[in-house]
Every structure is written in structure tokens, then in C-alpha cells.
Amino acid sequence: MIRDWSLHKAYINGEWQRADSGETIEVLNPATGKLLADVAFMRTSEARRAIDAAAAAFPAWSGALAKDRAVILRRWRDLMEHYLEDLACLITAEQGKPLDQARREVVGAIAYAEWYGEEARRAYGQTMPGTQTDRRVWVQKQAVGVVAAITPWNFPLTMVVRKCAPALAAGCSVVVKPAEDTPLCALAIAKLAEMAGFPKGVFNVVTGNPVPIAQALTDDFRVRMLSFTGSTPVGKRLIVQCADTVKKTAMELGGNAPFIVMDDANLDDAVAGAMISKYRNSGQTCVCANRILVQAGVYDAFVEKFIAATRALRMGNGFDDQIDIGPLINSRAVAKVERLMADAKRRGGVFHEGAEKPGAGFFVRPTVITDLPVDAACFEEELFAPIAPIYRFDTEADAIALANNVKGGLSSYLYSRDIGRIHRIADALQTGVVGINDGTTSHEGAPFGGVKESGHGREGGHWGLDEYLEVKYLNISLA
Ligand code: NAD
């Protein structure tokens, strides 16, 4: 059973270790506010031990046959499938999303592990003609080295696997620092990595205090890459911290997705897409519709249908079968939304509320906001909550200008049935991902990532593997 590991210990150098101080930190169930577990509260010394282990393991792991790494990745993937239900329950318990969404998260993690088990064998190089007839240029790819992976709480399983699967496939060793609200999934995935047979030191998880752990990871020259998923302010800070040792970085940061509905859209499809994009994971995804932009001709009809659908959502504990929407992650998240909603109210926003709060836990009522000016805080800030501001626009040019008028550039959505218009707008949208007539965009083979302040680097497909590979060329004389 994957529950057969000590929650008070993290996974360093193939061993389950306590914090040097013996301290632990509480993990709460966000649907009840009750204690779920105490996990090791580690700091600098444990992070350094994990880097030592990863650095020691790197030469053998990166030098192993790609097919041998692939076999272990495949076993890891199969164990995730075997323990799908346990992993889904852990996700719902520590993160709060409804159990069926948690199951889909596990399926997503499995897909990444599977893809990179296969992709491990495909780190192809190139040859090219030399500068003279007896010269050749040989281009090869090699693992970047020890990788630090810092992950968020909103997809506590997939975010770990989406980074570690390509890193491990490439031949890197990794030190994972999961979010303090949701360390249990990362520990479970470490247990499965141990069972799958990764050599000791190749996969490490350090739980605890983010600032000293991240400082140790970014200060250490032996860590050659930081892959971070989280908020833009923390990402900016970590980029600065990585400058001193000139680490490679991959930054998957906050989004602010526009969801554009044109007059010619299929309205029912657009409403269904917006419901998924907005309310999945209680609005706590980086690709959530943050600003719903609707063209004047269909604005009233869209708003009416969207409010009706929002009012039909059932909110509660994710373990309850009858639930569409769970809690927010913690009390700070609730306080942030309350600030944004107070600002919206002051600026004349009209609130259309859905389900009542079910009682204890960190819940926020799903709420549609209309009549809000575009200088409200809701427009520029990432909401990360089941709050849906809807704005009206007139022309295609207005839609593009509004959509791009923010610092974030992760994903966007467009509903239209005019192929020319679809391409014109999609070309103009300043985001790394565009969902066209679809409220979901995830695919393990596609290059997921953002532009502008949503970060740099891509996760998924061969692009995701390339992030963890350096390119080297050999200039060869045949003379
Ligand atoms: P966060 O930035 O607060 O935390 C992310 C990670 O950074 C956690 O592990 C946390 O412990 C750590 N951290 C926090 N403060 C730190 C510091 N000062 N120094 C070093 N590490 C620190 O983000 P979050 O609240 O966990 O996650 C939500 C954010 O993540 C949202 O902005 C969301 O859009 C973003 N996100 C982006 C993607 C993407 O693929 N682009 C995916 C999921 C989430």
C-alpha cells in the first residue's frame, strides 16, 4: 500500500528522513479545516543533503541506457495506475477538488509518466556538413544535471510528475520541493518512485519551509536547473536567485486567461466551455477563464445561460458524490477573494450568486459579476476562485485589445464558427496556449507554457524533454 510510509519523513537519498529539528507542519483538509497529517518541516541542511544525494546519483543515472531509464519510468507509471484510487483520495483530502476531478488528475499524471517513459529513447541529435569536406559537425543532447523542482498546490500530483518525468527521462536527478499545503501527493509519488526502482539519490522530496529550502537549491552551483510552477511574484524572485549561478530556468507562472465569445459562436457550447474553464478545481487553475469577454450581440443571452448554469453548481466536500465544486485551498485564498470582491462591489459590479457555503472549510460561493469596469482589480489580478466577471465588447479589434491588455499570457479561449476570424484572433492573442471552441486544453504531448509574465519554458511533448537537455556539438576532423 502506498499509505505504508511515514508521513513525518521526507525522501532523501533513498531513505525516509525526519527534519533535523524534529519539527513537523500540519496539513489540513480544506473542506473541513481539520488536521490530515503532520509532515517533516525541513530547512537548509536537509535541502543540502538532498542536493548531495542528487549530485552523487547524477553520473550513473545520466550515463545509463535510455531504455533502462524508460523501464523504470514505465514501472512508476504502472504503479500510479495501480494506486489510482489511493492517489485520487489523497488529492481530494489535501487539496479539496471533487473526487472525479482528482481521478482525472491522476490520469493526467499517468499520461505524462507514460509519454516520457517513451520519449526517454528519443533524445535525438543531428549531424551536419562541416566547413570542409573532411569535417563533420555532430550535435548531441545531454542531461542538464541536478534539477530542482518547486511545485504548487493546485495540482499536487500532476505538477510533480509533469516536471520529474521529463527530467528523469532525460537523465537528470531531481530534488522536489512541494507546496506546504499539499505535500502528501509528492510523498506518495516518491514512495512509488522508490517501489519503481529509481536508484537512490535520483528522486528526492524535501518538505517544509519554502524560503530556506529554495535558497539552498538556488544558491548551490551543482543544481543546474530550476523548474518552477507557481505564482508570478515568487517566480520573479526565484529567477533573480538563480542569476548568481546562471542556472537554466523553466517558469510556469500565473495566468489571466481571456475567454472570448464572438457573436457567431455556438452559445450553448460557449457556456459549457466557460463553465469548465471557470469552475474546474473551484477556479484554481492557471488556465482558468479569468475574464469572460462577450460580444454585444450575444451578451445578454450568454449571461442569462451562464448565471443559470452557475446557480446549478453543487458545492461541498469533494468526497461527496453530488458535488461539482469544492473549497479553496486555505484561509489566505478566501481572504484574497474577499478583497477582490469588495473592490468589485465598490466599482459597481452586480453579483449573481450560486450555491450557499456548506459550513466549515474554506468555501467561496460561485459568483458571476456583471457591469464591472475593466479597471477593477478583478481584470488584472488572477482570481483563483469560482468568481466569474463578464465584460461586454463590440468589435473583433476590441476583443483582441482587451484580451492582451494584461501582463499574464498563459492561455486564452475563443468561441467562434468563422475560420478566418478564428485564425486572425488566435494569431493576435498574446498567450502560449489558445483553446478554440474548447474549454480545456491539456495534452501531455503538447507544449504547455506561457509568454509575458506567465513565464518561459514548455512542459509536454518533446519540448518538455528538451528543457532538461543541453545541446553540445562536436566539430570533427576526419583528416
Ligand atoms: P506560490 O508561488 O505561492 O507557491 C508555489 C511554490 O513556491 C510552493 O511550493 C511554495 O512553497 C513555494 N514558495 C512560496 N513562496 C516562496 C518563496 N518566497 N521562495 C521560494 N519558494 C516559495 O503559488 P501557489 O499559490 O502554490 O500556486 C498558485 C499559482 O501557481 C498561481 O499563480 C497559478 O497560476 C500558478 N500555476 C501556474 C501553472 C502553470 O503551468 N503556468 C500551473 C499551476 C499553477
Side-chain angles (χ1 to χ4, degrees), residues 151 153 162 177 180 214 229-231 252-254 286 382 384 448:
T151 56
W153 47 263
R162 197 166 82 174
K177 207 297 292 164
E180 51 276 36
T229 297
S231 62
E252 301 286 348
L253 308 179
C286 51
E382 190 180 22
F384 246 54
F448 182 82

Side-chain angles (χ1 to χ4, degrees), residues 28-173:
L28 304 181
N29 178 335
T32 60
K34 292 203 175 121
L35 181 68
L36 268 180
D38 293 297
V39 301
F41 193 62
M42 296 180 158
R43 294 189 177 82
T44 312
S45 54
E46 299 90 335
R48 287 200 185 127
R49 265 208 308 283
I51 299 167
D52 291 344
F58 176 72
W61 181 246
S62 58
L65 286 177
K67 84 177 170 54
D68 290 343
R69 288 197 298 269
V71 166
I72 301 178
L73 272 154
R74 178 72 202 191
R75 277 206 296 267
W76 195 38
R77 173 246 174 258
D78 290 348
L79 285 162
M80 289 180 213
E81 187 169 65
H82 184 78
Y83 291 111
L84 194 152
E85 199 61 21
D86 296 68
L87 292 168
C89 289
L90 266 187
I91 293 172
T92 295
E94 68 174 348
Q95 197 272 332
K97 64 180 55 125
L99 194 54
D100 65 319
Q101 290 186 30
R103 290 190 186 106
R104 270 178 266 149
E105 177 171 347
V106 185
V107 169
I110 291 168
Y112 279 101
E114 182 173 312
W115 185 279
Y116 286 108
E118 294 162 353
E119 200 69 17
R121 303 161 188 255
R122 299 192 191 114
Y124 300 136
Q126 272 178 315
T127 58
M128 53 190 286
T131 51
Q132 297 171 38
T133 51
D134 63 353
R135 298 285 196 280
R136 299 286 183 277
V137 171
W138 167 288
V139 182
Q140 64 191 44
K141 294 184 182 171
Q142 291 179 318
V144 294
V146 175
V147 169
I150 301 183
T151 56
W153 47 263
N154 62 344
F155 289 92
L157 189 79
T158 309
M159 293 299 127
V160 175
V161 176
R162 197 166 82 174
K163 293 186 183 316
C164 294
L168 295 164
C172 299
S173 49

Side-chain angles (χ1 to χ4, degrees), residues 328-394:
L328 296 192
I329 187 68
N330 55 33
S331 57
R332 289 188 310 284
V334 175
K336 176 190 159 186
V337 185
E338 285 171 350
R339 171 178 64 76
L340 290 170
M341 291 179 81
D343 173 79
K345 199 141 240 170
R346 271 197 305 278
R347 285 161 186 273
V350 177
F351 286 37
H352 312 265
E353 285 157 333
E356 294 282 353
K357 290 189 213 178
F362 308 122
F363 289 94
V364 167
R365 296 179 73 176
T367 304
V368 180
I369 310 180
T370 53
D371 303 276
L372 197 58
V374 296
D375 61 351
C378 274
F379 196 86
E380 177 56 46
E381 285 190 48
E382 190 180 22
L383 296 164
F384 246 54
I387 307 301
I390 308 184
Y391 307 86
R392 184 199 301 256
F393 68 86
D394 291 316

